[in-house]
Amino acid sequence: MNSTLSILSSPYVSKFYPSLFPPPPPPQTLGFYHLQKPKPKPRPFNSFRLLSLSNSPNSLIPVDSQLSDADNDDEEEYEDDEDEEEDEAADEYDDMLEAIEDEAEIESVDASSSEVSNWRKESKWQRVEKLCNEVKEFGKEIIDANELASIYDFRIDKFQRLAIEAFLKGSSVVVSAPTSSGKTLIAEAAAVATVARGRRIFYTTPLKALSNQKFRDFRETFGDENVGLLTGDSAINKDAQVLIMTTEILRNMLYQSIGMVSSGSGLFHVDVIVLDEVHFLSDISRGTVWEEIIIYCPKEVQLICLSATVKNPDELSGWIREVHGETELVTSTRRPVPLTWHFSTRHSLYPLLDEKGKHINRKLSLNYLQLSASRVKSYKDGGSRRRNSRKHGSNTGFDNIGNMSEEPLSKNDISRIRRSQAMSLSIVPQVVDTLAQLKARDMLPAIWFIFNRRGCDAAVQYLEGCRLLDECEASEVELALKRFSVQNPDAVREIAVKGLLRGVAAHHAGCLPLWKSFIEELFQRGLIKVVFATETLAAGINMPARTAVISSLSRRSSSGRIPLSPNELLQMAGRAGRRGIDERGHVVMVQTTNEGAEECCKLLFAGLEPLVSQFTASYGMVLNLLAGAKITRRSNESDEMKVLKAGRTLKEARKLVEKSFGTYIGSNVMLASKEELARIQKEIEMLTSETSDDAIDRKSRKILSDGAYKEIAILQEQLREEKRLRTELRRKMETKRLNALKILLKELGNDRLPFLCLKYKDSEGVEHSVPAVYLGNADSFDGSKFKNMVSDIDSLVPTVALTESNVSAVETHKDVGPSYHVALGSDNSWYLFTEKWIKTVYRTGLPNVALALGDDLPREVMWMLIDREEKQWEKLAESELGGLWFMEGSLETWSWSLNVPVLNSLSESDEVLHMSQDYHDAVESYKDQRSKVARLKKTIARTEGFKEYKRIIDWKNFTEDKIKRLKMRSNRLSERLQEIEPSGWKEFIKISNVVHESRALDFNTQIIFPLGETAAAIRGENELWLAMVLRSRILLDLKPGQLAAVCASLVSEGIKVRAWENNNYIYEPSSAVINVINILNEQRSNLSKLQEKHGVEITCCLDSQFSGMVEAWAAGLTWKEMMMDCAMDDGDLARLLRRTIDILAQIPKLPDIDPILQSNAKTASSIMDRPPISELTG
């Protein structure tokens, strides 16, 4: 649990925040309002007043700043008095905030024109209708940026105007601007223009909740009859001019629009498609959908792509321009409501940044904390603060922090400072501490981001005794709650009611969608002052606040805690500041035991992350792109339809697939890498020619005298000859060694499994020594699977290329060729190697004796184990005398590997190589020759011109080292070029092989089979697996509720139970459901093996854990009965039920599905789609 959620103790609360947790107050007491200094009553917001500000000489928002993206340099800055203590700094901060608020009081300007006054009385819907009527009367040529801007009662920003003008010119538009800056206005203006022209516009969002919200918003602007909604299981007015939908729905429409299996794309009279939150393109699980839409979208349709601020919007717009058509980029970094960053500790709220907003507030720096910690330590040691200050003088004063050492603190120093601050000063705030700071500075309402559901709920419970609402507001909440309870009795979250009446609520995926919508409504009405939410709230939902609180810089994931990214931080911070209401937005970072202001600033200034491609192929993509004629062709199909369904060739499909964003980025990187590679190779050639023997000889002649040159030349020739002889002796020694090892392994392996040591260097040059137990010669084993595996490894025949440098080696080895052996390492890995890689062999080993009478011998057992392995051999090292390969062992081999001793425990006296006299003699001959070479080198070093010659040789060695580094750089670039080669097509081919082998589609003839037809039309994670299940005859005997339970097992991935509760409180499925799932599990195993064969990694979900819950809901149990002592959160169960309804709703629409199954699916869907999980639409 995050430290900010520490459980509050009553003594602490009553002592420090009596007004937050008061005894029953008299009627006139309003929470802890007395903590605030009296302020003038704020005027109600008036839209016309905001419009008039642009002409006011005293306006805080001058005309120029409203039409440009430049930052406002005239904003008030913090005053920082270095000589004040911490409490004085906090008071000063309060004064600064009050000064800003005082300056924000602007006198309203009355409207003198009755015409303007009448215009102000019109609603946006009336202005839109008026514009549409004018277009009908005077023609669509009258539509321009000014006409579209006139429907708003405020001056639009410059970036909004630029985007609208680009759209009106006929270009597609990419807009990159901060969160809450008004990007939706651009899409709305485009919708007005499109509707006025009598055409259609599609508006897509990544989330159903966001689609529902946009549906409600656009209805207010265009009227109910002109706006429709299309989600997985909701279709309202789907032929409307403005159609809101999720991105997956649009992607499937586009499949159909480019000659796919299904007909009737729905893209009739569509001029514009809006892709909201297009930065989701970087989402690992769903990003490919955005890329597919842009690739498949007809070029005559304009795209409006709305993105949060990202690092590379130019690359995004460049890619869209290349694959779709003319595209303009509009960017803005200016926020209409500026942000102020704060930092909360236990005792006070500080400005996070310095006066210029470019660096950390130095009173929050680690150096300052280090100084503060040392002063506290001195105080605890017996000296007072005042006496300590006099003793050390200015060296410990706050004014002289800059005089401290500028050396960076080590990690140990940072940890020590953090611990000392947390323990000695107790600076980590509890929720109530930070809340009191926000309340005292009038910084509510706030969205408080806590990165787990349990933390959000706990925070609400901690504050149940805190009153943030006055009596009037509390009455409004109570009335709204009663009304909601009457309309949705099962949707009320009982554990949250008490906090709600106090002005506090939680908003996360564990809540029902209806309840979350209710919370959003109350928050927007100002009846909730603090919402504790997970990071999902930052993803586009229109729920701005005055303040955003970030409780931590990291969040939990399935792989542990992961840090927030700069993009995630700014996305959450963007929720702060309500346009037209707040002069400034506030972002509060909170001190934790491991994260302080330094870490906050590091993340804040880290810079934005770029959009990256997540394009991956799927079964649906492959089938829809390649499918041609159906095997079940209808006789009444027209010739034109048959032509449309001719299907694409692999070459044509590849052109589409390789239009991905990743390919576009990769092509630019590849071009730069290839240019760099060519430059490096050219430099290598030049340097190689300068270090050749001829070049060195010419340089030596030029520098040395004739006598010195001749003397060194003669000695160098002798040295070359001696080195050649040394090389031959080394090879002879190696040959003798191989021969000796071959004989020794054969002798020692008869009655035992000897230990040995393998030695090699990896690709980085790091040397490794691996103790292992020897199994035997690879040729001696007859296991078919093992034989097939090793046959793929160079056919186990080491080859030596015939070059001038190694002819003698080949001649030497002609009688004794290396052979491959097998051993099990202490790391539980199998090793396949030649004698080249054996460092030494030991007399000791595992006895090759059966453990019991009738058991197999250990060698036979291990041969059987290696033959069972399903994994592939991987190469560790290679040489002219054979390679070294390894393969991971299994659990069965683990116990054997544990009996391989470490090298330190093996005695040198047990090494058996010295038993070969031939090898011993070869080693001595090699050592003698090596000594002769060393003596000759010393002779050369005593010659007359050696100093000058050595400079030449040193330069040559330096240059050769440089050549080596350049070659390493060249190799890395070559590998990088292979890595960045687009992988989308490779995945496409792998999936095509599975589709082909499963008889869903013959991509040679492009004939699609019934299985493929169903898979192409379905939506899901693994379309082929879903189609296999839904086409299975065993489903026909199931009742509707049982069918729903089986479908739930296909879509339950990611659904979880509360880890801290007993999951016995989950209904069990019926025996009929369990039997069907068991049969389906065999089919899943077959498909998984087929996928593994072709390298496809797409999950085949089949989990019966929650099937009983769905079956119970389909049987008619009430929501309260379902949730009674249930170990699932409301939101998780609702999500599972909605997923199940979604797939059930698809079944009646899928091709070639048995009518009985379609009827049962329709029945189950209608039974299950009831409150409180009914889809929110209005």
mmCIF file of all heavy atoms in Angstrom, residues 970-987:
data_model
loop_
_atom_site.group_PDB
_atom_site.id
_atom_site.type_symbol
_atom_site.label_atom_id
_atom_site.label_comp_id
_atom_site.label_asym_id
_atom_site.label_seq_id
_atom_site.Cartn_x
_atom_site.Cartn_y
_atom_site.Cartn_z
ATOM 1 N N SER A 970 30.373 -1.735 -37.550
ATOM 2 C CA SER A 970 29.752 -2.176 -38.799
ATOM 3 C C SER A 970 28.877 -3.401 -38.570
ATOM 4 O O SER A 970 27.756 -3.490 -39.095
ATOM 5 C CB SER A 970 30.834 -2.490 -39.840
ATOM 6 O OG SER A 970 30.266 -3.009 -41.012
ATOM 7 N N ASN A 971 29.358 -4.328 -37.756
ATOM 8 C CA ASN A 971 28.567 -5.533 -37.463
ATOM 9 C C ASN A 971 27.291 -5.195 -36.693
ATOM 10 O O ASN A 971 26.225 -5.749 -36.953
ATOM 11 C CB ASN A 971 29.412 -6.534 -36.674
ATOM 12 C CG ASN A 971 30.536 -7.122 -37.491
ATOM 13 O OD1 ASN A 971 30.466 -7.163 -38.717
ATOM 14 N ND2 ASN A 971 31.589 -7.570 -36.829
ATOM 15 N N ARG A 972 27.440 -4.261 -35.728
ATOM 16 C CA ARG A 972 26.253 -3.863 -34.961
ATOM 17 C C ARG A 972 25.220 -3.189 -35.855
ATOM 18 O O ARG A 972 24.016 -3.416 -35.718
ATOM 19 C CB ARG A 972 26.655 -2.936 -33.811
ATOM 20 C CG ARG A 972 27.332 -3.637 -32.652
ATOM 21 C CD ARG A 972 27.345 -2.767 -31.418
ATOM 22 N NE ARG A 972 28.108 -1.541 -31.605
ATOM 23 C CZ ARG A 972 29.395 -1.422 -31.316
ATOM 24 N NH1 ARG A 972 30.071 -2.456 -30.827
ATOM 25 N NH2 ARG A 972 30.023 -0.282 -31.500
ATOM 26 N N LEU A 973 25.686 -2.353 -36.776
ATOM 27 C CA LEU A 973 24.761 -1.696 -37.694
ATOM 28 C C LEU A 973 24.070 -2.718 -38.601
ATOM 29 O O LEU A 973 22.870 -2.614 -38.872
ATOM 30 C CB LEU A 973 25.508 -0.667 -38.553
ATOM 31 C CG LEU A 973 25.697 0.726 -37.952
ATOM 32 C CD1 LEU A 973 26.568 1.585 -38.859
ATOM 33 C CD2 LEU A 973 24.358 1.411 -37.718
ATOM 34 N N SER A 974 24.830 -3.704 -39.056
ATOM 35 C CA SER A 974 24.248 -4.739 -39.907
ATOM 36 C C SER A 974 23.177 -5.516 -39.149
ATOM 37 O O SER A 974 22.100 -5.813 -39.687
ATOM 38 C CB SER A 974 25.333 -5.694 -40.405
ATOM 39 O OG SER A 974 26.296 -5.003 -41.180
ATOM 40 N N GLU A 975 23.472 -5.838 -37.879
ATOM 41 C CA GLU A 975 22.481 -6.539 -37.061
ATOM 42 C C GLU A 975 21.257 -5.660 -36.817
ATOM 43 O O GLU A 975 20.122 -6.139 -36.843
ATOM 44 C CB GLU A 975 23.110 -6.946 -35.725
ATOM 45 C CG GLU A 975 24.193 -8.019 -35.864
ATOM 46 C CD GLU A 975 24.921 -8.260 -34.552
ATOM 47 O OE1 GLU A 975 24.568 -7.592 -33.547
ATOM 48 O OE2 GLU A 975 25.841 -9.101 -34.528
ATOM 49 N N ARG A 976 21.521 -4.369 -36.588
ATOM 50 C CA ARG A 976 20.415 -3.433 -36.362
ATOM 51 C C ARG A 976 19.533 -3.328 -37.602
ATOM 52 O O ARG A 976 18.302 -3.272 -37.501
ATOM 53 C CB ARG A 976 20.990 -2.055 -36.001
ATOM 54 C CG ARG A 976 19.961 -0.943 -35.866
ATOM 55 C CD ARG A 976 18.975 -1.213 -34.759
ATOM 56 N NE ARG A 976 18.072 -0.113 -34.562
ATOM 57 C CZ ARG A 976 16.844 -0.237 -34.071
ATOM 58 N NH1 ARG A 976 16.404 -1.423 -33.709
ATOM 59 N NH2 ARG A 976 16.065 0.809 -33.921
ATOM 60 N N LEU A 977 20.136 -3.344 -38.765
ATOM 61 C CA LEU A 977 19.365 -3.287 -40.006
ATOM 62 C C LEU A 977 18.458 -4.506 -40.133
ATOM 63 O O LEU A 977 17.332 -4.410 -40.621
ATOM 64 C CB LEU A 977 20.306 -3.200 -41.213
ATOM 65 C CG LEU A 977 20.948 -1.826 -41.452
ATOM 66 C CD1 LEU A 977 22.016 -1.914 -42.530
ATOM 67 C CD2 LEU A 977 19.892 -0.801 -41.854
ATOM 68 N N GLN A 978 18.948 -5.645 -39.681
ATOM 69 C CA GLN A 978 18.117 -6.840 -39.712
ATOM 70 C C GLN A 978 16.989 -6.763 -38.694
ATOM 71 O O GLN A 978 15.870 -7.205 -38.951
ATOM 72 C CB GLN A 978 18.967 -8.087 -39.452
ATOM 73 C CG GLN A 978 19.974 -8.385 -40.564
ATOM 74 C CD GLN A 978 20.834 -9.602 -40.252
ATOM 75 O OE1 GLN A 978 20.767 -10.154 -39.164
ATOM 76 N NE2 GLN A 978 21.637 -10.014 -41.210
ATOM 77 N N GLU A 979 17.287 -6.154 -37.531
ATOM 78 C CA GLU A 979 16.287 -6.057 -36.474
ATOM 79 C C GLU A 979 15.150 -5.116 -36.853
ATOM 80 O O GLU A 979 13.984 -5.384 -36.557
ATOM 81 C CB GLU A 979 16.938 -5.570 -35.176
ATOM 82 C CG GLU A 979 17.861 -6.590 -34.532
ATOM 83 C CD GLU A 979 18.590 -6.004 -33.345
ATOM 84 O OE1 GLU A 979 18.372 -4.806 -33.057
ATOM 85 O OE2 GLU A 979 19.375 -6.723 -32.715
ATOM 86 N N ILE A 980 15.500 -3.980 -37.486
ATOM 87 C CA ILE A 980 14.463 -2.994 -37.793
ATOM 88 C C ILE A 980 13.741 -3.298 -39.087
ATOM 89 O O ILE A 980 12.850 -2.560 -39.494
ATOM 90 C CB ILE A 980 15.044 -1.563 -37.858
ATOM 91 C CG1 ILE A 980 16.068 -1.440 -38.996
ATOM 92 C CG2 ILE A 980 15.640 -1.152 -36.541
ATOM 93 C CD1 ILE A 980 16.646 -0.046 -39.126
ATOM 94 N N GLU A 981 14.110 -4.368 -39.726
ATOM 95 C CA GLU A 981 13.347 -4.794 -40.893
ATOM 96 C C GLU A 981 11.926 -5.087 -40.437
ATOM 97 O O GLU A 981 11.710 -5.799 -39.461
ATOM 98 C CB GLU A 981 13.975 -6.046 -41.499
ATOM 99 C CG GLU A 981 13.276 -6.505 -42.771
ATOM 100 C CD GLU A 981 13.901 -7.768 -43.329
ATOM 101 O OE1 GLU A 981 14.937 -8.190 -42.806
ATOM 102 O OE2 GLU A 981 13.347 -8.314 -44.280
ATOM 103 N N PRO A 982 10.937 -4.506 -41.083
ATOM 104 C CA PRO A 982 9.548 -4.646 -40.626
ATOM 105 C C PRO A 982 9.171 -6.107 -40.381
ATOM 106 O O PRO A 982 9.394 -6.973 -41.221
ATOM 107 C CB PRO A 982 8.740 -4.050 -41.793
ATOM 108 C CG PRO A 982 9.682 -3.113 -42.471
ATOM 109 C CD PRO A 982 11.054 -3.715 -42.320
ATOM 110 N N SER A 983 8.613 -6.354 -39.184
ATOM 111 C CA SER A 983 8.264 -7.725 -38.803
ATOM 112 C C SER A 983 6.819 -8.062 -39.120
ATOM 113 O O SER A 983 6.410 -9.206 -38.994
ATOM 114 C CB SER A 983 8.517 -7.925 -37.305
ATOM 115 O OG SER A 983 7.718 -7.021 -36.549
ATOM 116 N N GLY A 984 6.027 -7.040 -39.506
ATOM 117 C CA GLY A 984 4.623 -7.273 -39.777
ATOM 118 C C GLY A 984 4.384 -8.322 -40.840
ATOM 119 O O GLY A 984 3.509 -9.189 -40.691
ATOM 120 N N TRP A 985 5.173 -8.280 -41.921
ATOM 121 C CA TRP A 985 4.980 -9.251 -42.994
ATOM 122 C C TRP A 985 5.409 -10.650 -42.562
ATOM 123 O O TRP A 985 4.787 -11.644 -42.945
ATOM 124 C CB TRP A 985 5.747 -8.821 -44.236
ATOM 125 C CG TRP A 985 5.591 -9.775 -45.372
ATOM 126 C CD1 TRP A 985 6.542 -10.549 -45.956
ATOM 127 C CD2 TRP A 985 4.375 -10.089 -46.064
ATOM 128 N NE1 TRP A 985 6.010 -11.319 -46.948
ATOM 129 C CE2 TRP A 985 4.666 -11.060 -47.038
ATOM 130 C CE3 TRP A 985 3.054 -9.648 -45.931
ATOM 131 C CZ2 TRP A 985 3.707 -11.588 -47.885
ATOM 132 C CZ3 TRP A 985 2.094 -10.183 -46.773
ATOM 133 C CH2 TRP A 985 2.415 -11.137 -47.742
ATOM 134 N N LYS A 986 6.457 -10.735 -41.763
ATOM 135 C CA LYS A 986 6.885 -12.047 -41.266
ATOM 136 C C LYS A 986 5.766 -12.681 -40.442
ATOM 137 O O LYS A 986 5.471 -13.877 -40.591
ATOM 138 C CB LYS A 986 8.147 -11.895 -40.414
ATOM 139 C CG LYS A 986 9.368 -11.400 -41.185
ATOM 140 C CD LYS A 986 10.551 -11.210 -40.253
ATOM 141 C CE LYS A 986 11.751 -10.631 -40.985
ATOM 142 N NZ LYS A 986 12.892 -10.371 -40.077
ATOM 143 N N GLU A 987 5.139 -11.887 -39.572
ATOM 144 C CA GLU A 987 4.027 -12.395 -38.779
ATOM 145 C C GLU A 987 2.861 -12.774 -39.679
ATOM 146 O O GLU A 987 2.165 -13.770 -39.440
ATOM 147 C CB GLU A 987 3.583 -11.332 -37.757
ATOM 148 C CG GLU A 987 4.567 -11.089 -36.638
ATOM 149 C CD GLU A 987 4.747 -12.321 -35.770
ATOM 150 O OE1 GLU A 987 3.740 -12.992 -35.475
ATOM 151 O OE2 GLU A 987 5.893 -12.636 -35.412
#
